[in-house]
Amino acid sequence: MTQIQIRRASPNDAQAFVEIFSSPQVIWGTLQVLYPSVEEWRKKLEPQPDIISLVACVPDASGNEQVVGCISLHLNPNRARRKHAAGLGMAVREDWQGKGVGTAMMQAAVDLAEKWLNISRLELQVYVDNEPAIALYKKFGFEIEGRMKQDSFRDGEFVDVYSMARLKRPNGRAE
Ligand SMILES: CC(C)(COP(=O)(O)OP(=O)(O)OC[C@H]1O[C@@H](n2cnc3c(N)ncnc32)[C@H](O)[C@@H]1OP(=O)(O)O)[C@@H](O)C(=O)NCCC(=O)NCCS
C-alpha cells in the first residue's frame, strides 16, 4: 500500500496546487475557477492566521515526493463565540482519487482540529450531486444540516449545495 504523508502546505507547493485544480473534474466539485495560476496559488499559500493548509504526498516513480491532495481548515480566531467552529475544503488530484488520499487528509484534519485546536464543530459545503465527497464526509460523521438552493454557478447552471457538519459534542455542552 502507498505511504501517504501529510504535511503543512507552503508557497513552494503552488505548482502542485495548479496541477490538482487543472482537472475539470476537480473544478466541478469545488468553487475554484478554471485556469489556475502558479502566482495566484503562491499568494494564497502564504501563511495566514486563520487558515491551515495541509497537503498529502506520495512518492513518484523515482521515489521523490509529489503532492497529490490538499485540505484546508478555516479558523475563526477573531470571532469570540465561533472559535470552536472551523470550515473545511479539500481536493485530490484526479489520477489519485479513490486510493485513500482523501481519507488520510480528513483524518489528519479532524485530529488536528479536535485534539489540538479544541474545535468541536467542523463545517463544509458540498454540491448535492457530489456523491464521492458526500460519502467521504458521512464516513467521518458529517451530517447534512440544510440545502441551499442555486448556491453556486457551475458549467452553465446553478447548483444546490448541502451544508454539512461534524460535531464533537452532540449535546453542545463544553466540558
Ligand atoms: C471527494 C474527494 C476529496 C475524495 O477523495 P478520495 O481520495 O478520492 O477519497 P478516498 O479514496 O479516501 O475515499 C473516501 C471515501 O469516499 C467514497 N468514495 C470515493 N470514491 C467514490 C466514488 N467514486 N463514488 C462514491 N463514493 C466514493 C467512499 O466512501 C470512500 O470510502 P471507502 O473507501 O472507505 O469506501 C475527491 O474525490 C476529490 O478531490 N474530488 C474532486 C474535488 C471535490 O469534489 N472536492 C470536495 C469539495 S466539497
Side-chain angles (χ1 to χ4, degrees), residues 17-52:
F17 275 69
V18 167
E19 282 161 23
I20 292 169
F21 290 108
S22 289
S23 137
Q25 188 268 357
V26 172
I27 296 279
W28 178 92
T30 62
L31 272 174
Q32 297 297 318
V33 176
L34 300 181
Y35 312 117
S37 82
V38 174
E39 295 74 30
E40 185 184 60
W41 273 108
R42 188 167 275 284
K43 275 190 218 142
K44 282 199 219 174
L45 291 168
E46 287 295 338
Q48 296 179 51
D50 55 346
I51 301 181
I52 297 179

Side-chain angles (χ1 to χ4, degrees), residues 25-26 29-30 90-92 96-103 125-126 130-133 135-137 139:
Q25 188 268 357
V26 172
T30 62
M90 67 191 296
V92 175
W96 271 86
Q97 290 175 14
K99 297 177 180 169
V101 174
T103 299
Q125 296 183 350
V126 57
N130 191 347
E131 286 171 25
L136 169 62
Y137 301 148
K139 188 169 101 166

Side-chain angles (χ1 to χ4, degrees), residues 58-164:
V58 298
D60 67 12
S62 318
N64 298 318
E65 175 193 82
Q66 58 171 334
V67 170
V68 294
C70 54
I71 189 163
S72 55
L73 277 174
H74 299 254
L75 312 175
N76 292 295
N78 300 318
R79 300 177 74 190
R81 295 171 62 185
R82 293 214 83 232
K83 286 182 179 167
H84 68 293
L88 206 143
M90 67 191 296
V92 175
R93 205 174 74 194
E94 191 170 352
D95 57 332
W96 271 86
Q97 290 175 14
K99 297 177 180 169
V101 174
T103 299
M105 293 196 300
M106 180 63 89
Q107 189 62 61
V110 165
D111 286 349
L112 173 63
E114 295 185 354
K115 295 184 184 168
W116 297 95
L117 301 175
N118 203 17
I119 285 163
S120 55
R121 176 182 166 84
L122 283 169
E123 50 197 20
L124 57 82
Q125 296 183 350
V126 57
Y127 299 128
V128 296
D129 54 2
N130 191 347
E131 286 171 25
I134 293 168
L136 169 62
Y137 301 148
K138 285 187 171 168
K139 188 169 101 166
F140 277 87
F142 284 79
E143 289 180 10
I144 294 171
E145 296 185 324
R147 179 175 184 137
M148 288 171 289
K149 293 183 185 166
Q150 299 185 19
D151 178 86
S152 309
F153 195 60
R154 187 188 67 188
D155 197 15
E157 57 189 8
F158 291 105
V159 274
D160 292 3
V161 152
Y162 286 135
S163 270
M164 299 185 75

